[in-house]
Amino acid sequence: MPIKTSRFDVDIITQSLSEIIVRNKYGAFQTSEGPYGPILTPAEITIINISGKGIIYGGFFQVSGGNPPDDNIRVELDGVSSIFTGIDTFKDRNLVEPLITPLYLTLYDQVNNYYTLGFSSGITFEQSVKVIYDCNTGGAFLYWLFYYATI
Amino acid sequence: MTVTLEELFFIGYSIMPQYKLSAISLSLQQDGTYSRTITVMLPNKTYQVLDFPGDKPLNRGQILKLIKDTFSCSPEDFIWPEYITIPEI
């Protein structure tokens, strides 16, 4: 049986590229969306738990009702928790810009009892990502949008 | 022309359709249960998100069955990366 082969010549010297586009490729865009609540009794609640390798595109987390300033929220990346977890801590340390920590404060409204945090975009994870809310007083109502992709 | 066994294996491996597990995701729902999705990378490098049945236990066997039933692929065509574990609450 004859073997088919193909061959073409390329003159490397005459090749020229006006530009090269390089970009990172992650998997398909995915979302996780709330709401959940009200949380009736103090409890630590895992909101999102993803096993895989990927990237956080962003999103936000909002809590109302109860006494959110006393509650905690944390992002756990590859089994390691973010350090600043108390919602009051975000205000006290003025953590209001993305990428300082995996979460950043965008709304602290004591009058209407609404508190919102953003998820920093561009954070990659190698094994897993979790979002955990620790409700200390009960009565909290949660809403979130979490954008991510896995390879 | 002679072809070594290693080359034959490489040729066979490279043309075999490969499905790869991309993620296992749990997301809390209003009723307190978790929605469970399985993300799979297809041989054409696109991704498909599968809803895991609510009445089935989330374990390796059931995940493989879901993928096999959905894509009609054999276990040899499927890659489960070791860094992906079944998430627990």
Side-chain angles (χ1 to χ4, degrees):
Chain A
M1 181 179 169
I3 298 170
K4 291 183 178 175
T5 59
S6 63
R7 182 173 180 272
F8 60 95
D9 295 319
V10 176
D11 186 347
I12 294 172
I13 295 171
T14 62
Q15 299 300 301
S16 67
L17 296 171
S18 58
E19 61 182 31
I20 297 174
I21 297 171
V22 179
R23 72 176 183 93
N24 294 325
K25 181 193 171 195
Y26 283 92
F29 178 78
Q30 295 188 68
T31 64
S32 167
E33 184 179 7
Y36 178 73
I39 303 168
L40 299 177
T41 55
E44 186 176 276
I45 295 171
T46 301
I47 298 162
I48 300 162
N49 190 349
I50 299 160
S51 179
K53 187 179 288 197
I55 187 169
I56 297 171
Y57 282 145
F60 71 91
F61 175 88
Q62 188 172 63
V63 55
S64 59
N67 189 23
D70 284 347
D71 294 347
N72 300 301
I73 181 169
R74 67 178 192 267
V75 175
E76 197 176 288
L77 294 154
D78 300 329
V80 179
S81 272
S82 55
I83 297 168
F84 300 113
T85 58
I87 290 178
D88 248 1
T89 306
F90 286 92
K91 178 181 72 75
D92 294 343
R93 295 180 185 257
N94 200 33
L95 300 173
V96 295
E97 297 289 336
L99 292 174
I100 296 172
T101 69
L103 288 155
Y104 60 98
L105 191 66
T106 59
L107 177 67
Y108 191 94
D109 181 353
Q110 286 182 296
V111 176
N112 299 302
N113 205 25
Y114 272 94
Y115 305 85
T116 307
L117 300 108
F119 292 107
S120 293
S121 62
I123 294 177
T124 56
F125 48 94
E126 299 302 309
Q127 293 177 338
S128 65
V129 57
K130 281 186 193 179
V131 178
I132 299 164
Y133 190 74
D134 183 14
C135 184
N136 288 317
T137 52
F141 190 87
L142 316 180
Y143 183 76
W144 68 92
L145 273 169
F146 184 74
Y147 305 132
Y148 67 101
T150 52
I151 63 170
Chain B
M1 180 187 176
T2 56
V3 178
T4 65
L5 197 60
E6 192 179 24
E7 285 169 333
L8 264 179
F9 176 78
F10 177 77
I11 293 165
Y13 186 82
S14 60
I15 61 172
M16 220 161 46
Q18 293 284 299
Y19 296 82
K20 192 189 82 143
L21 182 61
S22 174
I24 304 171
S25 306
L26 306 183
S27 182
L28 184 62
Q29 301 180 113
Q30 177 57 42
D31 64 0
T33 63
Y34 286 84
S35 70
R36 305 175 295 181
T37 56
I38 309 297
T39 308
V40 179
M41 187 175 82
L42 309 184
N44 65 3
K45 310 298 181 197
T46 62
Y47 291 80
Q48 191 162 331
V49 180
L50 308 175
D51 289 323
F52 191 84
D55 59 340
K56 298 274 184 3
L58 186 65
N59 58 38
R60 192 179 179 95
Q62 292 292 344
I63 292 170
L64 291 172
K65 183 175 183 306
L66 174 67
I67 289 161
K68 178 175 169 261
D69 293 347
T70 305
F71 302 112
S72 302
C73 63
S74 63
E76 296 80 36
D77 298 337
F78 184 71
I79 299 168
W80 184 312
E82 62 182 22
Y83 56 80
I84 297 182
T85 57
I86 296 170
E88 294 177 3
I89 298 298

